[in-house]
Each structure stands twice: as structure tokens, then as C-alpha cells.
Amino acid sequence: MEFREIEEGGTVTRTWEEMDIDILVKIFQSLTVFELTSGIAHVCSAWRLAACDPWLWKTLDLSMLESNFIKIPLEPYVYVHGHSDKTLTRILKISLSLSRGNITSLFFHFNLYVSEDHLTYTAQRCPRLRRLVLPAWNRVETVMIKAIDLWKDLESLTMPSIVNSPRLVQAIATNCRNFSELKIMGPFDIYFASSLATYLPTLKVLSLRCSKLYKDTLIFILDNLRCLDVLNISHCLLIQIPPPPAPGRIVRRLDKTILEKASRLRKFLTCMRDTCIMCQRTRNDEGLMRWYKYEKGLWKEDEVRSLAL
């Protein structure tokens, strides 16, 4: 392959291998991960060298890649269309080969099925990871704990609700000394809050937006996470449980006690307006957002800028 370069005195024909690597890297920065993994690294040695440049692989953004799957009642609890699984496997293998361990941020789509093998393979090849956005699939707890052992530099995690939160939170506390940001996409209960207070008392940022949250749990967070700087409960379905036999009720306005406790925070982000579309959706979905029903990419939003995609 050849290209023409105009120089003083005429036009000079050169091969692509002679193009300046920095120029190639600049061009490749405009490509998506799907384009970068489509085979450009096989064009020639210069393209291969440029395709491996660390500037291209600080972030591996798979937030546009969804799986075609259905949930089933028996293990592995999900049936994934073969094409979806093969696509993810191919992109991961090529990306992690080209990146050469330089990825620091990894974003999975909310509705992407990531198997234990996928996560293990990724963890072994992304030792410098600082930020991770997991999909909603919550049955990879065991392998996730093993992966945390390899991610010593992890600082920020977006994850679904899980059953055994103490084990995962303890693993983060043990291995990730600079961990400071957590976003939970799903119901957040006192069990999870207690895990944070026990193992991650120095947590700085917590986002629970669009989740089901009990008032007692919110008060527990404010009382026990004393190092918290930012708390986001925007569009949450806040529930108060009165003494039995009275049923739980939706809290539509924060009382003075909560506001006073939250006053020490640098940022306390809330929205509980009846006219807010997102608040209406959280209530309609009973605190477990069905993101597939709404605008594409809506799940990526967050009032905390560092947690938005």
C-alpha cells in the first residue's frame, strides 16, 4: 500500500509503513474500539505499532456492546446468543492484546453478559485498572473477588446489587488502598450499608441514584460513613418502614433530621419531585430500574460527574 506526500519540488510516493507513527496514533484516536479491533493492526508493522500505543488504550469502552440473552431458572441462569458471546470474546482478546496491560478504565454495558471466564481473562490482562463499570449481571461474585486481588490500583467501581456484599467489600478494602468511589445500580439495603461502614469507612463518594433505599439505611449511611464527601440519592425510591402492622410508605420530602445529618457533606445530591420523569420511572419500576425500556444510554448518566460515562 502506498500514499502520496507533497514535498517541495514535487510529489513523493511512500508506503504506509513510512508514515510517522505519531500521525497514525492521532488518526487511530478517532476510531471506536470496534474499528480498532477490526484488523487494522494487521495492515503492516507500522500500523501494528501505532495500534498498540498506550494513548489508545487508557480506556476500553464497551458501553455500546449489548448481549442478546434471556434469563433462565437453572445454572448458568442465562442463555446467551452465540453471536453475542463470540463478539465479546473476540473484542476482549484483541483489545487486551493490543493494550499490553495499559488499560486504566473499563466500561461494560449495563445489559452485557460477562461470564466468569471473560472477567478472569480481563483481570489478568488489566493490572493497572483504576475504574471499572460492571454490567447488571450479579452472579460473578466469586470470580470478582479473585479479580479484585489483581486490581491493586482500583479507585472507582460501578456495580449491581449483590447478595454477598461483605465478601466483595472486604476484598476491596484489603487490596485497593486508593479506593474512593462506589456506585450501586440496584436496591441498596442496610446489609450493604453495614458492609461499607465496616470495611470501607473512608469511602469518599457514593451514588445510589434511581435505586430503592430505606430511610433507616440512609440515616445509617450519614451516621457511619463519616469520611463521605459526596452522596447522590437523586431519583431514589425512598421508603419509610413504620412500626407494624402499618405498611411502608414512600418518602416524598426529606425531613429536618436527614438534612442536618447531610449538612456535613460537601455535596448531597437529591431529587424527589413528583414532576421529575426519572423519579416517576423509579417509582413505576419499584426501585429496580428497567433501563432497557428507556432512552438508549440513559443508564450512563449520573449527577456525580466522575461517575457518569
mmCIF file of all heavy atoms in Angstrom, residues 119-161:
data_model
loop_
_atom_site.group_PDB
_atom_site.id
_atom_site.type_symbol
_atom_site.label_atom_id
_atom_site.label_comp_id
_atom_site.label_asym_id
_atom_site.label_seq_id
_atom_site.Cartn_x
_atom_site.Cartn_y
_atom_site.Cartn_z
ATOM 1 N N LEU A 119 -14.347 -12.347 32.702
ATOM 2 C CA LEU A 119 -13.860 -11.466 33.757
ATOM 3 C C LEU A 119 -12.475 -11.884 34.230
ATOM 4 O O LEU A 119 -11.604 -11.034 34.478
ATOM 5 C CB LEU A 119 -14.842 -11.463 34.928
ATOM 6 C CG LEU A 119 -14.680 -10.337 35.951
ATOM 7 C CD1 LEU A 119 -14.758 -8.977 35.277
ATOM 8 C CD2 LEU A 119 -15.743 -10.441 37.037
ATOM 9 N N THR A 120 -12.246 -13.185 34.329
ATOM 10 C CA THR A 120 -10.926 -13.677 34.734
ATOM 11 C C THR A 120 -9.869 -13.297 33.709
ATOM 12 O O THR A 120 -8.783 -12.812 34.061
ATOM 13 C CB THR A 120 -10.960 -15.202 34.907
ATOM 14 O OG1 THR A 120 -11.909 -15.542 35.924
ATOM 15 C CG2 THR A 120 -9.589 -15.728 35.301
ATOM 16 N N TYR A 121 -10.180 -13.512 32.444
ATOM 17 C CA TYR A 121 -9.263 -13.182 31.352
ATOM 18 C C TYR A 121 -8.917 -11.693 31.365
ATOM 19 O O TYR A 121 -7.756 -11.304 31.196
ATOM 20 C CB TYR A 121 -9.915 -13.572 30.027
ATOM 21 C CG TYR A 121 -9.050 -13.391 28.807
ATOM 22 C CD1 TYR A 121 -8.155 -14.391 28.411
ATOM 23 C CD2 TYR A 121 -9.118 -12.230 28.042
ATOM 24 C CE1 TYR A 121 -7.357 -14.234 27.287
ATOM 25 C CE2 TYR A 121 -8.319 -12.059 26.914
ATOM 26 C CZ TYR A 121 -7.443 -13.063 26.540
ATOM 27 O OH TYR A 121 -6.653 -12.891 25.433
ATOM 28 N N THR A 122 -9.940 -10.873 31.594
ATOM 29 C CA THR A 122 -9.751 -9.423 31.618
ATOM 30 C C THR A 122 -8.905 -8.990 32.808
ATOM 31 O O THR A 122 -7.999 -8.162 32.673
ATOM 32 C CB THR A 122 -11.108 -8.712 31.654
ATOM 33 O OG1 THR A 122 -11.881 -9.089 30.510
ATOM 34 C CG2 THR A 122 -10.936 -7.200 31.664
ATOM 35 N N ALA A 123 -9.209 -9.542 33.976
ATOM 36 C CA ALA A 123 -8.477 -9.157 35.193
ATOM 37 C C ALA A 123 -6.990 -9.443 35.070
ATOM 38 O O ALA A 123 -6.146 -8.644 35.501
ATOM 39 C CB ALA A 123 -9.066 -9.890 36.395
ATOM 40 N N GLN A 124 -6.658 -10.564 34.466
ATOM 41 C CA GLN A 124 -5.252 -10.953 34.329
ATOM 42 C C GLN A 124 -4.488 -10.040 33.381
ATOM 43 O O GLN A 124 -3.262 -9.943 33.468
ATOM 44 C CB GLN A 124 -5.169 -12.399 33.832
ATOM 45 C CG GLN A 124 -5.672 -13.417 34.848
ATOM 46 C CD GLN A 124 -5.803 -14.809 34.268
ATOM 47 O OE1 GLN A 124 -5.806 -14.986 33.035
ATOM 48 N NE2 GLN A 124 -5.925 -15.806 35.122
ATOM 49 N N ARG A 125 -5.206 -9.360 32.489
ATOM 50 C CA ARG A 125 -4.548 -8.537 31.469
ATOM 51 C C ARG A 125 -4.766 -7.041 31.667
ATOM 52 O O ARG A 125 -4.362 -6.251 30.821
ATOM 53 C CB ARG A 125 -5.025 -8.987 30.076
ATOM 54 C CG ARG A 125 -4.491 -10.365 29.710
ATOM 55 C CD ARG A 125 -5.300 -11.045 28.630
ATOM 56 N NE ARG A 125 -4.707 -12.350 28.281
ATOM 57 C CZ ARG A 125 -4.888 -13.455 29.016
ATOM 58 N NH1 ARG A 125 -5.647 -13.385 30.112
ATOM 59 N NH2 ARG A 125 -4.329 -14.594 28.659
ATOM 60 N N CYS A 126 -5.397 -6.671 32.760
ATOM 61 C CA CYS A 126 -5.582 -5.238 33.079
ATOM 62 C C CYS A 126 -5.109 -4.954 34.498
ATOM 63 O O CYS A 126 -5.898 -4.524 35.358
ATOM 64 C CB CYS A 126 -7.056 -4.846 32.938
ATOM 65 S SG CYS A 126 -7.722 -4.986 31.283
ATOM 66 N N PRO A 127 -3.845 -5.153 34.783
ATOM 67 C CA PRO A 127 -3.351 -4.994 36.155
ATOM 68 C C PRO A 127 -3.359 -3.555 36.660
ATOM 69 O O PRO A 127 -3.287 -3.336 37.869
ATOM 70 C CB PRO A 127 -1.918 -5.535 36.069
ATOM 71 C CG PRO A 127 -1.514 -5.297 34.646
ATOM 72 C CD PRO A 127 -2.766 -5.536 33.848
ATOM 73 N N ARG A 128 -3.471 -2.586 35.741
ATOM 74 C CA ARG A 128 -3.414 -1.173 36.152
ATOM 75 C C ARG A 128 -4.786 -0.528 36.259
ATOM 76 O O ARG A 128 -4.896 0.698 36.363
ATOM 77 C CB ARG A 128 -2.574 -0.381 35.147
ATOM 78 C CG ARG A 128 -1.148 -0.883 34.996
ATOM 79 C CD ARG A 128 -0.390 -0.096 33.946
ATOM 80 N NE ARG A 128 0.949 -0.615 33.723
ATOM 81 C CZ ARG A 128 1.795 -0.152 32.827
ATOM 82 N NH1 ARG A 128 1.438 0.864 32.055
ATOM 83 N NH2 ARG A 128 2.999 -0.689 32.685
ATOM 84 N N LEU A 129 -5.827 -1.324 36.273
ATOM 85 C CA LEU A 129 -7.191 -0.789 36.254
ATOM 86 C C LEU A 129 -7.476 0.109 37.459
ATOM 87 O O LEU A 129 -7.192 -0.254 38.597
ATOM 88 C CB LEU A 129 -8.190 -1.956 36.228
ATOM 89 C CG LEU A 129 -9.589 -1.625 35.704
ATOM 90 C CD1 LEU A 129 -9.528 -1.247 34.230
ATOM 91 C CD2 LEU A 129 -10.529 -2.814 35.909
ATOM 92 N N ARG A 130 -8.061 1.266 37.166
ATOM 93 C CA ARG A 130 -8.433 2.215 38.222
ATOM 94 C C ARG A 130 -9.939 2.422 38.314
ATOM 95 O O ARG A 130 -10.456 2.713 39.390
ATOM 96 C CB ARG A 130 -7.744 3.565 37.978
ATOM 97 C CG ARG A 130 -6.227 3.522 38.113
ATOM 98 C CD ARG A 130 -5.620 4.902 37.939
ATOM 99 N NE ARG A 130 -4.172 4.872 38.068
ATOM 100 C CZ ARG A 130 -3.393 5.934 37.932
ATOM 101 N NH1 ARG A 130 -3.944 7.117 37.659
ATOM 102 N NH2 ARG A 130 -2.083 5.823 38.054
ATOM 103 N N ARG A 131 -10.604 2.305 37.174
ATOM 104 C CA ARG A 131 -12.052 2.489 37.177
ATOM 105 C C ARG A 131 -12.723 1.350 36.431
ATOM 106 O O ARG A 131 -12.305 0.989 35.326
ATOM 107 C CB ARG A 131 -12.446 3.834 36.540
ATOM 108 C CG ARG A 131 -13.954 4.099 36.632
ATOM 109 C CD ARG A 131 -14.369 5.366 35.945
ATOM 110 N NE ARG A 131 -15.816 5.541 36.042
ATOM 111 C CZ ARG A 131 -16.516 6.414 35.335
ATOM 112 N NH1 ARG A 131 -15.896 7.233 34.481
ATOM 113 N NH2 ARG A 131 -17.818 6.492 35.480
ATOM 114 N N LEU A 132 -13.778 0.783 37.039
ATOM 115 C CA LEU A 132 -14.487 -0.346 36.445
ATOM 116 C C LEU A 132 -15.986 -0.122 36.528
ATOM 117 O O LEU A 132 -16.519 0.224 37.587
ATOM 118 C CB LEU A 132 -14.121 -1.640 37.181
ATOM 119 C CG LEU A 132 -14.876 -2.908 36.772
ATOM 120 C CD1 LEU A 132 -14.579 -3.272 35.321
ATOM 121 C CD2 LEU A 132 -14.511 -4.065 37.704
ATOM 122 N N VAL A 133 -16.668 -0.306 35.397
ATOM 123 C CA VAL A 133 -18.134 -0.257 35.345
ATOM 124 C C VAL A 133 -18.613 -1.638 34.934
ATOM 125 O O VAL A 133 -18.396 -2.077 33.804
ATOM 126 C CB VAL A 133 -18.635 0.806 34.347
ATOM 127 C CG1 VAL A 133 -20.160 0.749 34.234
ATOM 128 C CG2 VAL A 133 -18.183 2.198 34.774
ATOM 129 N N LEU A 134 -19.248 -2.332 35.874
ATOM 130 C CA LEU A 134 -19.714 -3.689 35.634
ATOM 131 C C LEU A 134 -21.128 -3.692 35.055
ATOM 132 O O LEU A 134 -21.901 -2.749 35.263
ATOM 133 C CB LEU A 134 -19.718 -4.486 36.939
ATOM 134 C CG LEU A 134 -18.360 -4.920 37.486
ATOM 135 C CD1 LEU A 134 -18.532 -5.518 38.882
ATOM 136 C CD2 LEU A 134 -17.695 -5.922 36.563
ATOM 137 N N PRO A 135 -21.491 -4.759 34.362
ATOM 138 C CA PRO A 135 -22.883 -4.882 33.893
ATOM 139 C C PRO A 135 -23.802 -5.272 35.043
ATOM 140 O O PRO A 135 -23.354 -5.486 36.171
ATOM 141 C CB PRO A 135 -22.784 -6.014 32.852
ATOM 142 C CG PRO A 135 -21.617 -6.825 33.295
ATOM 143 C CD PRO A 135 -20.636 -5.857 33.900
ATOM 144 N N ALA A 136 -25.094 -5.400 34.758
ATOM 145 C CA ALA A 136 -26.071 -5.701 35.799
ATOM 146 C C ALA A 136 -26.018 -7.157 36.238
ATOM 147 O O ALA A 136 -26.632 -7.529 37.234
ATOM 148 C CB ALA A 136 -27.489 -5.371 35.298
ATOM 149 N N TRP A 137 -25.309 -7.978 35.486
ATOM 150 C CA TRP A 137 -25.223 -9.400 35.810
ATOM 151 C C TRP A 137 -24.527 -9.567 37.147
ATOM 152 O O TRP A 137 -23.379 -9.197 37.327
ATOM 153 C CB TRP A 137 -24.449 -10.133 34.715
ATOM 154 C CG TRP A 137 -24.368 -11.604 34.894
ATOM 155 C CD1 TRP A 137 -23.230 -12.340 35.064
ATOM 156 C CD2 TRP A 137 -25.453 -12.537 34.920
ATOM 157 N NE1 TRP A 137 -23.544 -13.663 35.174
ATOM 158 C CE2 TRP A 137 -24.905 -13.815 35.106
ATOM 159 C CE3 TRP A 137 -26.834 -12.412 34.815
ATOM 160 C CZ2 TRP A 137 -25.681 -14.963 35.173
ATOM 161 C CZ3 TRP A 137 -27.610 -13.551 34.878
ATOM 162 C CH2 TRP A 137 -27.036 -14.807 35.053
ATOM 163 N N ASN A 138 -25.227 -10.148 38.149
ATOM 164 C CA ASN A 138 -24.711 -10.167 39.520
ATOM 165 C C ASN A 138 -24.309 -11.556 40.012
ATOM 166 O O ASN A 138 -24.261 -11.798 41.208
ATOM 167 C CB ASN A 138 -25.744 -9.572 40.477
ATOM 168 C CG ASN A 138 -27.069 -10.323 40.451
ATOM 169 O OD1 ASN A 138 -27.194 -11.335 39.771
ATOM 170 N ND2 ASN A 138 -28.052 -9.826 41.177
ATOM 171 N N ARG A 139 -24.017 -12.484 39.087
ATOM 172 C CA ARG A 139 -23.655 -13.838 39.506
ATOM 173 C C ARG A 139 -22.174 -14.141 39.234
ATOM 174 O O ARG A 139 -21.826 -15.261 38.896
ATOM 175 C CB ARG A 139 -24.560 -14.859 38.826
ATOM 176 C CG ARG A 139 -26.024 -14.696 39.208
ATOM 177 C CD ARG A 139 -26.881 -15.803 38.616
ATOM 178 N NE ARG A 139 -28.283 -15.575 38.869
ATOM 179 C CZ ARG A 139 -28.936 -15.972 39.955
ATOM 180 N NH1 ARG A 139 -28.274 -16.627 40.899
ATOM 181 N NH2 ARG A 139 -30.228 -15.743 40.103
ATOM 182 N N VAL A 140 -21.346 -13.138 39.338
ATOM 183 C CA VAL A 140 -19.906 -13.342 39.163
ATOM 184 C C VAL A 140 -19.163 -12.924 40.430
ATOM 185 O O VAL A 140 -18.017 -12.498 40.388
ATOM 186 C CB VAL A 140 -19.371 -12.545 37.947
ATOM 187 C CG1 VAL A 140 -19.873 -13.136 36.659
ATOM 188 C CG2 VAL A 140 -19.734 -11.072 38.057
ATOM 189 N N GLU A 141 -19.836 -13.081 41.575
ATOM 190 C CA GLU A 141 -19.266 -12.602 42.828
ATOM 191 C C GLU A 141 -17.941 -13.274 43.157
ATOM 192 O O GLU A 141 -16.966 -12.626 43.544
ATOM 193 C CB GLU A 141 -20.265 -12.825 43.967
ATOM 194 C CG GLU A 141 -21.546 -12.007 43.831
ATOM 195 C CD GLU A 141 -22.531 -12.324 44.925
ATOM 196 O OE1 GLU A 141 -22.095 -12.653 46.039
ATOM 197 O OE2 GLU A 141 -23.745 -12.263 44.670
ATOM 198 N N THR A 142 -17.900 -14.606 43.006
ATOM 199 C CA THR A 142 -16.698 -15.352 43.383
ATOM 200 C C THR A 142 -15.496 -14.932 42.549
ATOM 201 O O THR A 142 -14.424 -14.626 43.079
ATOM 202 C CB THR A 142 -16.926 -16.864 43.226
ATOM 203 O OG1 THR A 142 -18.036 -17.260 44.052
ATOM 204 C CG2 THR A 142 -15.686 -17.635 43.648
ATOM 205 N N VAL A 143 -15.668 -14.915 41.227
ATOM 206 C CA VAL A 143 -14.548 -14.541 40.361
ATOM 207 C C VAL A 143 -14.238 -13.054 40.485
ATOM 208 O O VAL A 143 -13.084 -12.640 40.322
ATOM 209 C CB VAL A 143 -14.851 -14.928 38.898
ATOM 210 C CG1 VAL A 143 -15.938 -14.043 38.309
ATOM 211 C CG2 VAL A 143 -13.594 -14.861 38.047
ATOM 212 N N MET A 144 -15.241 -12.246 40.820
ATOM 213 C CA MET A 144 -14.999 -10.819 41.011
ATOM 214 C C MET A 144 -14.075 -10.589 42.206
ATOM 215 O O MET A 144 -13.172 -9.744 42.174
ATOM 216 C CB MET A 144 -16.331 -10.098 41.224
ATOM 217 C CG MET A 144 -16.205 -8.596 41.388
ATOM 218 S SD MET A 144 -15.522 -7.795 39.926
ATOM 219 C CE MET A 144 -15.269 -6.142 40.549
ATOM 220 N N ILE A 145 -14.262 -11.359 43.260
ATOM 221 C CA ILE A 145 -13.406 -11.239 44.438
ATOM 222 C C ILE A 145 -11.969 -11.610 44.087
ATOM 223 O O ILE A 145 -11.011 -10.970 44.528
ATOM 224 C CB ILE A 145 -13.949 -12.124 45.579
ATOM 225 C CG1 ILE A 145 -15.283 -11.549 46.088
ATOM 226 C CG2 ILE A 145 -12.949 -12.228 46.726
ATOM 227 C CD1 ILE A 145 -16.017 -12.440 47.048
ATOM 228 N N LYS A 146 -11.803 -12.635 43.256
ATOM 229 C CA LYS A 146 -10.465 -13.028 42.811
ATOM 230 C C LYS A 146 -9.847 -11.941 41.931
ATOM 231 O O LYS A 146 -8.644 -11.691 41.995
ATOM 232 C CB LYS A 146 -10.529 -14.351 42.053
ATOM 233 C CG LYS A 146 -10.930 -15.538 42.923
ATOM 234 C CD LYS A 146 -10.991 -16.820 42.100
ATOM 235 C CE LYS A 146 -11.399 -18.007 42.968
ATOM 236 N NZ LYS A 146 -11.507 -19.256 42.183
ATOM 237 N N ALA A 147 -10.682 -11.320 41.099
ATOM 238 C CA ALA A 147 -10.191 -10.253 40.225
ATOM 239 C C ALA A 147 -9.711 -9.053 41.028
ATOM 240 O O ALA A 147 -8.707 -8.420 40.689
ATOM 241 C CB ALA A 147 -11.292 -9.835 39.253
ATOM 242 N N ILE A 148 -10.427 -8.741 42.105
ATOM 243 C CA ILE A 148 -10.058 -7.612 42.962
ATOM 244 C C ILE A 148 -8.639 -7.786 43.494
ATOM 245 O O ILE A 148 -7.900 -6.814 43.684
ATOM 246 C CB ILE A 148 -11.056 -7.467 44.127
ATOM 247 C CG1 ILE A 148 -12.430 -6.993 43.606
ATOM 248 C CG2 ILE A 148 -10.547 -6.488 45.178
ATOM 249 C CD1 ILE A 148 -12.430 -5.619 43.002
ATOM 250 N N ASP A 149 -8.238 -9.042 43.717
ATOM 251 C CA ASP A 149 -6.879 -9.304 44.203
ATOM 252 C C ASP A 149 -5.822 -8.796 43.228
ATOM 253 O O ASP A 149 -4.690 -8.484 43.633
ATOM 254 C CB ASP A 149 -6.672 -10.813 44.413
ATOM 255 C CG ASP A 149 -7.473 -11.349 45.588
ATOM 256 O OD1 ASP A 149 -7.888 -10.531 46.432
ATOM 257 O OD2 ASP A 149 -7.703 -12.564 45.664
ATOM 258 N N LEU A 150 -6.175 -8.703 41.944
ATOM 259 C CA LEU A 150 -5.228 -8.274 40.913
ATOM 260 C C LEU A 150 -5.306 -6.773 40.640
ATOM 261 O O LEU A 150 -4.405 -6.220 40.014
ATOM 262 C CB LEU A 150 -5.495 -9.039 39.611
ATOM 263 C CG LEU A 150 -5.410 -10.573 39.687
ATOM 264 C CD1 LEU A 150 -5.832 -11.185 38.360
ATOM 265 C CD2 LEU A 150 -4.007 -11.014 40.062
ATOM 266 N N TRP A 151 -6.388 -6.139 41.083
ATOM 267 C CA TRP A 151 -6.598 -4.720 40.775
ATOM 268 C C TRP A 151 -6.214 -3.861 41.979
ATOM 269 O O TRP A 151 -7.069 -3.234 42.623
ATOM 270 C CB TRP A 151 -8.046 -4.481 40.370
ATOM 271 C CG TRP A 151 -8.368 -5.051 39.007
ATOM 272 C CD1 TRP A 151 -7.522 -5.147 37.953
ATOM 273 C CD2 TRP A 151 -9.623 -5.579 38.571
ATOM 274 N NE1 TRP A 151 -8.173 -5.705 36.865
ATOM 275 C CE2 TRP A 151 -9.460 -5.974 37.223
ATOM 276 C CE3 TRP A 151 -10.873 -5.752 39.178
ATOM 277 C CZ2 TRP A 151 -10.491 -6.544 36.478
ATOM 278 C CZ3 TRP A 151 -11.895 -6.313 38.445
ATOM 279 C CH2 TRP A 151 -11.709 -6.707 37.104
ATOM 280 N N LYS A 152 -4.971 -3.804 42.266
ATOM 281 C CA LYS A 152 -4.479 -3.070 43.435
ATOM 282 C C LYS A 152 -4.710 -1.565 43.310
ATOM 283 O O LYS A 152 -4.778 -0.862 44.323
ATOM 284 C CB LYS A 152 -2.976 -3.333 43.628
ATOM 285 C CG LYS A 152 -2.589 -4.804 43.729
ATOM 286 C CD LYS A 152 -3.172 -5.469 44.952
ATOM 287 C CE LYS A 152 -2.666 -6.908 45.087
ATOM 288 N NZ LYS A 152 -3.263 -7.603 46.250
ATOM 289 N N ASP A 153 -4.815 -1.061 42.053
ATOM 290 C CA ASP A 153 -4.943 0.380 41.844
ATOM 291 C C ASP A 153 -6.397 0.837 41.683
ATOM 292 O O ASP A 153 -6.636 2.012 41.391
ATOM 293 C CB ASP A 153 -4.162 0.795 40.588
ATOM 294 C CG ASP A 153 -2.675 0.557 40.729
ATOM 295 O OD1 ASP A 153 -2.169 0.661 41.868
ATOM 296 O OD2 ASP A 153 -2.013 0.271 39.719
ATOM 297 N N LEU A 154 -7.361 -0.078 41.856
ATOM 298 C CA LEU A 154 -8.769 0.269 41.639
ATOM 299 C C LEU A 154 -9.211 1.393 42.575
ATOM 300 O O LEU A 154 -9.011 1.320 43.787
ATOM 301 C CB LEU A 154 -9.650 -0.965 41.843
ATOM 302 C CG LEU A 154 -11.108 -0.826 41.385
ATOM 303 C CD1 LEU A 154 -11.178 -0.676 39.863
ATOM 304 C CD2 LEU A 154 -11.939 -2.026 41.837
ATOM 305 N N GLU A 155 -9.815 2.428 41.989
ATOM 306 C CA GLU A 155 -10.271 3.583 42.749
ATOM 307 C C GLU A 155 -11.784 3.778 42.677
ATOM 308 O O GLU A 155 -12.383 4.337 43.596
ATOM 309 C CB GLU A 155 -9.591 4.855 42.226
ATOM 310 C CG GLU A 155 -8.071 4.837 42.323
ATOM 311 C CD GLU A 155 -7.444 6.045 41.648
ATOM 312 O OE1 GLU A 155 -8.204 6.895 41.127
ATOM 313 O OE2 GLU A 155 -6.202 6.140 41.619
ATOM 314 N N SER A 156 -12.389 3.335 41.573
ATOM 315 C CA SER A 156 -13.806 3.612 41.339
ATOM 316 C C SER A 156 -14.495 2.372 40.775
ATOM 317 O O SER A 156 -13.971 1.734 39.862
ATOM 318 C CB SER A 156 -13.962 4.789 40.373
ATOM 319 O OG SER A 156 -15.320 5.012 40.040
ATOM 320 N N LEU A 157 -15.678 2.057 41.318
ATOM 321 C CA LEU A 157 -16.418 0.873 40.875
ATOM 322 C C LEU A 157 -17.900 1.196 40.753
ATOM 323 O O LEU A 157 -18.501 1.760 41.673
ATOM 324 C CB LEU A 157 -16.214 -0.271 41.870
ATOM 325 C CG LEU A 157 -17.014 -1.553 41.621
ATOM 326 C CD1 LEU A 157 -16.606 -2.208 40.302
ATOM 327 C CD2 LEU A 157 -16.826 -2.544 42.785
ATOM 328 N N THR A 158 -18.481 0.832 39.603
ATOM 329 C CA THR A 158 -19.927 0.865 39.410
ATOM 330 C C THR A 158 -20.385 -0.580 39.279
ATOM 331 O O THR A 158 -19.862 -1.319 38.436
ATOM 332 C CB THR A 158 -20.305 1.643 38.140
ATOM 333 O OG1 THR A 158 -19.904 3.011 38.293
ATOM 334 C CG2 THR A 158 -21.804 1.603 37.890
ATOM 335 N N MET A 159 -21.340 -0.980 40.091
ATOM 336 C CA MET A 159 -21.696 -2.391 40.165
ATOM 337 C C MET A 159 -23.181 -2.564 40.477
ATOM 338 O O MET A 159 -23.839 -1.654 40.977
ATOM 339 C CB MET A 159 -20.862 -3.090 41.236
ATOM 340 C CG MET A 159 -21.056 -2.492 42.627
ATOM 341 S SD MET A 159 -20.155 -3.388 43.914
ATOM 342 C CE MET A 159 -21.207 -4.844 44.069
ATOM 343 N N PRO A 160 -23.723 -3.765 40.226
ATOM 344 C CA PRO A 160 -25.106 -4.037 40.597
ATOM 345 C C PRO A 160 -25.195 -4.434 42.065
ATOM 346 O O PRO A 160 -24.166 -4.659 42.729
ATOM 347 C CB PRO A 160 -25.466 -5.226 39.696
ATOM 348 C CG PRO A 160 -24.171 -5.959 39.551
ATOM 349 C CD PRO A 160 -23.117 -4.878 39.486
ATOM 350 N N SER A 161 -26.401 -4.539 42.583
ATOM 351 C CA SER A 161 -26.583 -5.092 43.923
ATOM 352 C C SER A 161 -26.196 -6.567 43.893
ATOM 353 O O SER A 161 -26.448 -7.262 42.913
ATOM 354 C CB SER A 161 -28.050 -4.964 44.357
ATOM 355 O OG SER A 161 -28.444 -3.618 44.412
#
